[in-house]
Amino acid sequence: HVGGKTSAAGAHRASAGFPVSIPTIDLAEVGAGGGSIAWIDSGGLMRVGPQSAKALPGPACYGRGGTLPTVTDASLVLGHIDPEYFLGGRIRLDAAAAFRAIETNIAAPLGLTVQAAAHAILTIANENMVNAIRSITINEGLDPRASLLIAGGGAGGMTIGRIAEALECERILVPRTAGALSASGGLFSDIVSEFSVSQRTDTGSFDYAGINQALEGLGAQMEAFFNRLNTPPEQRRSEFFVEARYPYQVWELEVPLAVSQFSNAADVQSLVDGFHRAHERVFAVNEPGQQVECIYWKARATALLPKPLRGVTERKAKTPQSLVTRDAWFDGAAPQPTPRYHGPDLPIGAVLAGPCVIQEPTTTIVLFPHWHATVTETGDYMMERDFDAA
């Protein structure tokens, strides 16, 4: 999920460099949202964030007294935002104020054009988010290239393309309500609770009785959780995991269990094989034949909630027509004529080729060169990279 902040969930990780062996949520936050301020440090290097213009006074283009350049100001100067259609036209942006803020604070001190300075602001902000995503994917043994990148936040749709290119992701999903993605997630996400118990054993002398008793206790806690929520049987999902390590390692790895009770050596061997695979994925090496030390046992109870996907079937099939074509800057020194589309008017299945801008009431989606977007049946946007053209 990419927007003003980047986050991921995890457990038993380091906090401020210190090991924390309790279930935690691992959040990687980056000050790179639309209100993040661009500034020049004492060494003459430009930085973006973590200082924010906040809602008040906000970016300079808001016209509420702000004079410092922000990511939103940079997007406006580059022609990515239509000053007449911010928040569905309810707010008119001051393009001249954005230009002055960037020129005075960034462009003039660095000897750049205002457009080059604005492009640098977005590049640095994007790189901050890219580094955060790498830390919670590549550093954890996950390949972002195999993932679907989802843009969230009001500014997410404007920067997601460049972030995807840096991560070598091929597909992006931009919800039409990206500006309210977190609120939507709070309404529709499944209800999840995790339970854990410490019960040490190793696979060389596996404690069947002790581990089975621990797993049985976790199962009872999950059952009580479901009963409190009155969750129907068909909406209950129960999963078991072990956090294990090779002897003398500091960090444990989470390994899914194929069984909820251990009956024989084959069940234990399945655990060992799963750990070897997890170790290979994260550290690119494993130790076949090595015993595995099991430290924590965990159960995850998920109460599945309905996912009502509201379609946009009322949209009539027609050829997409742009509202207007205006100049916008992308990578080069010269602007490109860029068509702008009104998102709510686009029919299901419409395919748009970049560069173009899609304007939704709560978000703006910038389709960079060498990308195309398809309107899904729910009115969202599936963006895919055109590698042949890149």
Side-chain angles (χ1 to χ4, degrees):
H1 162 207
V2 177
K5 295 180 179 178
T6 303
S7 64
H12 303 293
R13 303 189 186 278
S15 176
F18 296 96
V20 178
S21 294
I22 58 175
T24 61
I25 298 297
D26 183 18
L27 291 175
E29 297 191 357
V30 182
S36 296
I37 295 172
W39 53 287
I40 299 174
D41 67 16
S42 58
L45 298 176
M46 186 170 66
R47 300 183 182 275
V48 177
Q51 302 93 329
S52 174
K54 304 179 181 179
L56 286 174
C61 62
Y62 280 14
R64 298 177 177 175
T67 59
L68 298 177
T70 67
V71 170
T72 297
D73 294 311
S75 295
L76 180 59
V77 164
L78 293 176
H80 298 174
I81 299 176
D82 184 350
E84 306 287 341
Y85 193 76
F86 192 74
L87 199 59
R90 290 190 289 272
I91 296 178
R92 177 183 170 83
L93 299 181
D94 187 344
F99 192 97
R100 286 194 303 271
I102 294 177
E103 182 180 42
T104 301
N105 295 279
I106 303 296
L110 296 180
L112 300 173
T113 66
V114 174
Q115 286 77 21
H119 178 70
I121 291 172
L122 293 187
T123 299
I124 293 173
N126 291 344
E127 191 61 26
N128 289 341
M129 286 189 277
V130 167
N131 288 336
I133 295 172
R134 285 174 174 156
S135 72
I136 59 176
T137 55
I138 296 173
N139 292 357
E140 299 292 335
L142 303 175
D143 187 352
R145 296 174 298 181
S147 303
L148 171 66
L149 204 58
I150 301 176
M158 292 187 291
T159 60
I160 193 69
R162 291 299 185 230
I163 293 171
E165 289 175 356
L167 295 169
E168 300 183 45
C169 294
E170 299 181 16
R171 297 192 306 151
I172 303 167
L173 178 64
V174 184
R176 58 191 165 110
T177 55
L181 183 64
S182 295
S184 299
L187 290 173
F188 300 122
S189 294
D190 298 329
I191 302 175
V192 181
S193 186
E194 293 186 349
F195 309 92
S196 63
V197 62
S198 175
Q199 183 77 25
R200 187 201 172 282
T201 189
D202 63 71
T203 55
S205 55
F206 196 80
D207 180 9
Y208 286 90
I211 300 307
N212 285 337
Q213 183 179 5
L215 293 175
E216 184 177 352
L218 293 175
Q221 293 182 68
M222 286 196 294
E223 185 72 15
F225 166 77
F226 288 132
N227 291 340
R228 286 197 304 272
L229 297 179
N230 294 318
T231 307
E234 66 274 11
Q235 293 177 219
R236 300 183 179 191
R237 185 173 68 195
S238 301
E239 301 170 279
F240 290 91
F241 304 85
V242 62
E243 295 195 0
R245 64 192 182 194
Y246 288 128
Y248 309 111
Q249 281 188 313
V250 175
W251 300 109
E252 297 86 30
L253 294 178
E254 182 179 278
V255 181
L257 297 180
V259 296
S260 59
Q261 292 282 287
F262 286 86
S263 301
N264 49 48
D267 293 338
V268 176
Q269 187 59 46
S270 176
L271 182 160
V272 173
D273 294 341
F275 179 82
H276 289 326
R277 289 192 297 269
H279 203 279
E280 174 72 25
R281 176 178 59 80
V282 176
F283 299 110
V285 65
N286 63 30
E287 297 184 42
Q290 177 65 270
Q291 293 184 10
V292 175
E293 187 178 11
C294 305
I295 308 297
Y296 302 99
W297 304 86
K298 185 166 67 176
R300 181 178 300 149
T302 303
L304 304 174
L305 297 184
K307 304 294 187 298
L309 294 177
R310 184 177 180 181
V312 288
T313 54
E314 69 276 6
R315 294 186 184 178
K316 297 179 180 179
K318 57 183 178 180
T319 302
Q321 298 291 329
S322 64
L323 298 172
V324 67
T325 297
R326 293 178 177 168
D327 285 346
W329 282 259
F330 295 99
D331 293 327
Q336 293 181 248
T338 304
R340 297 176 180 274
Y341 296 90
H342 186 232
D345 290 340
L346 295 174
I348 295 172
V351 179
L352 306 176
C356 70
V357 174
I358 304 170
Q359 299 177 165
E360 286 281 347
T362 59
T363 193
T364 297
I365 301 164
V366 176
L367 198 59
F368 289 94
H370 312 310
W371 286 83
H372 71 271
T374 303
V375 182
T376 69
E377 63 182 12
T378 56
D380 303 316
Y381 302 93
M382 182 64 72
M383 297 169 52
E384 296 179 275
R385 193 174 179 187
D386 302 319
F387 285 95
D388 292 340

